[in-house]
Amino acid sequence: MLDLGWSELLVIGIVALIVVGPKDLPVLFRNVGRFMGKARGMAREFTRAMNDAADESGARDIAKTFKSATNPIGSAMDGVKDAARAMTDPTPEKKKPGLKEDPNALDPEREAAKKRIEASAARSAADRQRREAEAAQKHAEESAAKAAELEASLKKDGEQ
């Protein structure tokens, strides 16, 4: 829009006063105000229509994609996140295809490390399941003993 400061508005007012005259100046300002109001209303309606058309066509999604693509900080953070994810990813990388090598084959060292990790995870899972089973068995024995005590107290109360 127009960027008018107080000094520019003062110059325009003085020129309008000289050109139009003091008698017709309020009528001129009133007409200019009506014209500006109509222009703003038309601009608002146009903006609303364009936003509605953009919503219907999906242009907002495209604009969001472009905005995220042009945001260098966001892109850099995405790169850092991907790098961190790659470093903590437990799956080893595949060897690059060579002339005599299988493209899906792993390095022998990585294959051995993978087997050690799998064995360690299986051992930990088995230990956890054993502990849970022991705790469940202990809880079941305690519950059975408590049930037997309650039944004995009921028989005792029934005999009296």
Side-chain angles (χ1 to χ4, degrees):
M1 295 269 321
L2 297 173
D3 187 26
L4 298 176
W6 286 107
S7 60
E8 288 92 359
L9 288 174
L10 182 64
V11 170
I12 291 171
I14 292 172
V15 170
L17 181 63
I18 293 170
V19 172
V20 176
K23 196 163 52 168
D24 295 329
L25 194 61
V27 176
L28 175 71
F29 284 151
R30 192 176 313 119
N31 289 336
V32 169
R34 284 184 192 151
F35 175 75
M36 291 300 292
K38 287 180 183 179
R40 285 183 185 151
M42 289 172 41
R44 208 173 343 186
E45 182 63 31
F46 179 76
T47 303
R48 189 176 303 126
M50 294 307 285
N51 285 338
D52 291 344
D55 287 342
E56 289 175 8
S57 69
R60 246 176 237 246
D61 295 335
I62 295 170
K64 191 182 294 184
T65 303
F66 279 129
K67 188 174 183 180
S68 66
T70 58
N71 184 358
I73 294 173
S75 298
M77 290 305 294
D78 290 342
V80 170
K81 288 177 187 174
D82 291 342
R85 193 175 302 118
M87 293 191 78
T88 59
D89 190 12
T91 58
E93 291 182 18
K94 304 283 186 199
K95 267 194 155 183
K96 294 185 178 163
L99 295 175
K100 298 180 181 178
E101 297 179 5
D102 180 18
N104 295 324
L106 298 174
D107 285 335
E109 295 172 4
R110 294 198 94 169
E111 186 70 34
K114 178 183 172 187
K115 288 181 181 179
R116 283 194 305 270
I117 291 170
E118 288 174 349
S120 173
R123 188 177 325 108
S124 297
D127 289 343
R128 180 181 48 82
Q129 288 175 347
R130 181 186 49 78
R131 285 192 308 269
E132 289 174 354
E134 289 173 356
Q137 183 178 1
K138 184 177 178 182
H139 186 270
E141 290 172 356
E142 290 172 356
S143 296
K146 194 173 193 179
E149 288 175 16
L150 289 173
E151 286 176 356
S153 68
L154 284 174
K155 285 182 183 179
K156 203 186 275 186
D157 289 340
E159 292 174 2
Q160 289 178 358

